[in-house]
């Protein structure tokens, strides 16, 4: 089944197509890496993930990705 969800973020993202059936009540994540302060790309991703979860009665968890230990900083983690 193909689902089409339109999302308008001031013209940044007009439409996304998901090519699989999404189960209701699924869990997804927002997983920024604490290698800098949050920026517009993080916001777009967080809004997309939250909107998808909301549309399918799912939930979003915050998971900090620390795969780049050389650039991760405690102050960036605190700001998230």
């Amino acid at each position: 089944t193909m689902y089409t969800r339109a999302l308008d973020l001031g013209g940044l993202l007009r439409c996304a197509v998901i090519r699989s059936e999404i189960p209701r009540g699924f869990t997804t994540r927002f997983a920024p890496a604490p290698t800098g302060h949050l920026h517009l790309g993080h916001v777009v991703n967080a809004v997309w993930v939250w909107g998808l979860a909301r549309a399918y009665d799912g939930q979003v968890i915050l998971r900090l990705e620390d795969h780049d230990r050389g650039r991760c900083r405690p102050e960036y983690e605190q700001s998230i």
Side-chain angles (χ1 to χ4, degrees), residues 10-30:
L12 294 175
L13 180 62
R14 290 285 180 202
C15 182
V17 177
I18 299 147
R19 297 185 182 275
S20 63
E21 186 149 342
I22 298 174
R24 288 211 155 303
F26 72 98
T27 300
T28 188
R29 64 174 173 54
F30 172 61

Side-chain angles (χ1 to χ4, degrees), residues 5 18 22 26 28 47-58:
R5 295 283 182 247
I18 299 147
I22 298 174
F26 72 98
T28 188
V47 168
W48 171 253
V49 168
W50 173 80
L52 193 60
R54 183 173 178 186
Y56 291 93
D57 300 320

Side-chain angles (χ1 to χ4, degrees), residues 9-78:
L9 299 173
L12 294 175
L13 180 62
R14 290 285 180 202
C15 182
V17 177
I18 299 147
R19 297 185 182 275
S20 63
E21 186 149 342
I22 298 174
R24 288 211 155 303
F26 72 98
T27 300
T28 188
R29 64 174 173 54
F30 172 61
T35 57
H37 295 291
L38 294 180
H39 53 75
L40 184 58
H42 291 110
V43 173
V44 170
N45 180 258
V47 168
W48 171 253
V49 168
W50 173 80
L52 193 60
R54 183 173 178 186
Y56 291 93
D57 300 320
Q59 64 179 354
V60 179
I61 58 171
L62 173 64
R63 183 175 106 188
L64 297 181
E65 292 284 353
D66 61 353
H67 51 73
D68 189 353
R69 296 220 183 247
R71 295 189 310 147
C72 290
R73 300 280 185 267
E75 59 270 21
Y76 297 143
E77 188 174 333
Q78 284 295 325

